[in-house]
Structures are given as C-alpha cells and as structure tokens.
C-alpha cells in the first residue's frame, strides 16, 4: 500500500544563519503538504520576530490574503497582514529557545487558489510570548513547487529547520 | 508494519451539495482527522457537523467553546446544548480549510472531544473544542450546512491514526 504520510525533505540552517530557507522541486504526487518547523531569528535587541512563507518565489502582496489571531499572554488580537504568518524568538529571547511552526496546505498541486493553515508558538518563559493562528490564501492556480520561509526583521539562526511531509488521500 | 496514518475515505464533490456523510467508520484506529477544503455555493454557507453510532445524533448533545479572529478583532464564546455544533462559514470566492480531530473516537467509556480549526483567509480564523456527550463509539460523521451548499470541487478526506 502506498505510504500516506511521507517525509519529502528536511532543511536545516547552517553556521552563519540564512535570510531565507525552504524547499524546491516539490513533487506533485501528494494530495496535501504539511510542514513542521523550528525557527529562531537573530533580530537584534528584540525577543520576538515575525515572518511568513511564500510560494513559487511569489512575494507579490496582492496575491496573499491572511486572517490572523494571536495572544501574548495578556490580550488577544486579530489582523490581516499579508506577510506575517508566524512569530518566533528573536536574539534576546531565552537562549536555545526556538518557535514551533505548523503549516497545512491541502490540494497544493491542484488548479484552484491555495488555502493554508498556520499554527505557531513562541513560548519564551518571559513576560511576552505569542501563540498564533493564521488562515492564508495564495491566489494562484499554479501547483506549489517551492516554499520559502522568510523573516521580516532578522535572519534565521543556525539550527532553524523544517521538514516537509506529503500526505496522500488514497 | 501497520500503517500509522491511513486514508479511510475521500470525497471530491462533483456538484454542489448540502451534506457529506462518512459511515461505517472502522473502530480500529486511535484518532481520526477530517480535512475539508473548498468553497460555498449559492452564497455563504454555515456548516456544522454531527456524529453518531449507527445513526447520526441530531439531539442537543453537543457543546463547543471557540476563539476566533476576523482580521480586526478577536472574540471567544461558547454554545451549550446545541444540535448543530457550527464550523466557521465558507465563502463563495475565497477557499477555506476545516480540520477536525476526533481523539479516542472509538472508546465506549468517555464523552468524545473534537478539536476544530477553521482557516478562512478572507473571513476568519477559528479554533474550537467541541464535545459530544455520548460514550458511544463514533462510526458516522456528517458535515452539513444550514443554508446554501458546499461547492463542486470541495474535498472531504478522513484519515485514521493508530497509536503504537
């Protein structure tokens, strides 16, 4: 029987860090994609950074729609920022602490616009930490063949990593 | 080696419909995950789900607590003693995702808890926990709408997850 849940690739940021990292040449042979990631930013003088994922090298703002819900331990908020899916620790966060990211992308290889779901956490054992849910839509009929992680303020530090899984519905 | 994560059934709608059922669900898994992706047809729809054993429970035996964000404000609420535990609405032009996790769905000792996530990039993002007050094993799941339909092309896939 074909494997339903299969690891496609793992990428890990090496020494020196990286401004972006991700996956290319994603095969169209699965139904859905799942990404589990662990990331940290070198954003200076800040315990929190934020970032997003873009597809097929498309960074056009008008092609992304987002609804985001997050809480920081004292309040909850909602917003629609096109290039913000997740939060992660910055340089002044508790050492050795990485944020967790979960991306689910159903029907990624089809000809409809691509919806996706993001859960992220950035617990820091400090006064501010963020739990976040994001609903995303990439308005493109193209199959997703590449996925890029990006940050809005810093770069990814060494040991940031992500694993891409393919899920088959039959 | 037994498969841990296994597709049980999948439906891709060939035409708009107001109801999708999964029946005869095997009790051999530990948890279930239902993944729904698509659009509404005929106007914004307002989906809900029900479960059952042998037949769908249409009684007021469900409750839920939710948190949601619509892009400008966040809110939380709950519904008690409802017969239609709701899911965030689907739109006609912007695709949405719903995932429902059914933990320990086949046991006959406890009430059944479901974790629901809805992601609608053009309307809202929501997380909720839903309780079905029955100790019966779940072997049927129904997705339905109170108005309009699920659009053609919408997909519904049920996966089983086995513990070691």
């Amino acid at each position: 029987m074909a494997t339903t849940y299969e690891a496609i690739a793992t990428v890990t940021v090496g020494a020196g860090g990286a401004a972006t990292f991700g996956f290319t040449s994603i095969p169209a042979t699965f139904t859905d994609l799942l990404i589990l990631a662990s990331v940290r930013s070198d954003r200076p003088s800040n315990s929190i950074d934020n970032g997003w994922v873009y597809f097929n090298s498309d960074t056009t703002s008008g092609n992304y729609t987002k609804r985001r819900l997050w809480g920081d331990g004292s309040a909850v908020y909602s917003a629609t920022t096109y290039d913000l899916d997740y939060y992660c620790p910055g340089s002044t966060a508790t050492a050795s602490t990485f944020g967790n990211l979960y991306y689910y992308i159903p029907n990624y290889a089809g000809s409809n616009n691509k919806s996706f779901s993001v859960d992220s956490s950035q617990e820091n054992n400090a006064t501010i930490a963020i739990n976040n849910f994001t609903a995303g839509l990439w308005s493109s009929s193209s199959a997703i063949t590449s996925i890029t992680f990006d940050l809005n303020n810093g770069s990814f530090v060494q040991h940031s990593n992500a694993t891409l899984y393919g899920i088959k519905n039959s | 080696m037994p498969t841990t994560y296994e597709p049980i059934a999948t439906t891709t709608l060939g035409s708009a419909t107001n109801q999708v059922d999964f029946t005869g669900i095997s009790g051999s898994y530990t948890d279930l995950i239902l993944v729904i992706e698509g659009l509404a047809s005929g106007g914004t729809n307002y989906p809900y789900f029900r479960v059952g054993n042998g037949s769908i429970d249409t009684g007021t035996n469900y409750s839920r607590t939710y948190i949601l964000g619509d892009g400008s404000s966040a809110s939380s609420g709950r519904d008690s003693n409802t017969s239609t535990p709701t899911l965030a609405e689907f739109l006609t032009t912007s695709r949405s995702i719903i995932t429902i996790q059914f933990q320990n769905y086949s046991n006959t000792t406890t009430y059944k808890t479901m974790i629901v996530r809805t992601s609608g990039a053009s309307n809202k993002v929501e997380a909720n926990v839903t309780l079905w007050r029955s100790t019966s094993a779940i072997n049927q799941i129904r997705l339905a709408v109170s108005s309009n339909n699920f659009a053609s092309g919408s997909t519904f896939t049920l996966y089983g997850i086995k513990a070691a």
Side-chain angles (χ1 to χ4, degrees), chain B residues 3-26:
Chain B
T3 304
T4 300
Y5 199 103
E6 197 170 295
I8 297 172
T10 189
T11 297
T12 300
L13 297 182
S15 60
T17 186
N18 63 1
Q19 183 173 300
V20 174
D21 286 346
F22 293 89
T23 61
I25 300 169
S26 166

Side-chain angles (χ1 to χ4, degrees), chain B residues 123-145:
Chain B
N123 53 327
K124 63 185 65 168
V125 55
E126 178 179 316
N128 88 54
V129 58
T130 300
L131 176 71
W132 179 45
R133 297 191 308 281
S134 171
T135 57
S136 298
I138 293 173
N139 62 17
Q140 297 193 3
I141 300 170
R142 170 168 294 166
L143 287 304
V145 289

Side-chain angles (χ1 to χ4, degrees), chain A residues 1 4-5 32 65-67 69 76 78-80 104 106-107 112-113 115-119 133 135-137 167-169, chain B residues 5-7 10 35 37 67-74 94-95 97 117 119-123 125 127 155 157 159:
Chain A
M1 179 180 174
T4 301
Y5 195 116
D32 303 339
T65 308
K66 306 281 173 69
R67 286 293 184 276
L69 169 68
V76 290
S78 188
T80 59
Y104 197 90
N107 302 322
N112 293 317
N113 290 339
S115 55
F116 58 98
S117 177
V118 186
D119 293 359
F133 301 125
L137 181 74
I167 298 175
K168 290 188 178 183
N169 70 354
Chain B
Y5 199 103
E6 197 170 295
T10 189
V35 180
E37 192 273 339
I67 181 171
L68 69 87
D70 63 6
S72 60
S73 63
S94 182
R95 308 188 75 82
I97 306 168
R117 281 275 283 111
S119 293
S122 296
N123 53 327
V125 55
T155 61
T157 303
Y159 298 92

Side-chain angles (χ1 to χ4, degrees), chain A residues 144-160:
Chain A
I144 292 175
T145 58
S146 74
I147 298 172
T148 306
F149 283 85
D150 197 1
L151 288 168
N152 287 316
N153 297 286
S155 295
F156 295 101
V157 303
Q158 183 183 19
H159 306 306
S160 296

Side-chain angles (χ1 to χ4, degrees), chain A residues 84-142:
Chain A
L84 203 165
D85 297 342
Y86 62 84
Y87 296 89
C88 68
S91 67
T92 62
T94 302
S96 306
T97 303
F98 286 62
N100 292 331
L101 312 181
Y102 172 103
Y103 274 79
Y104 197 90
I105 312 168
N107 302 322
Y108 72 101
S111 58
N112 293 317
N113 290 339
K114 307 304 181 291
S115 55
F116 58 98
S117 177
V118 186
D119 293 359
S120 73
S121 65
Q122 179 266 333
E123 175 50 47
N124 187 33
N125 194 34
T127 54
I128 295 179
I130 296 178
N131 231 31
N132 173 84
F133 301 125
T134 299
L137 181 74
W138 180 47
S139 295
S140 172
S141 59
S142 299

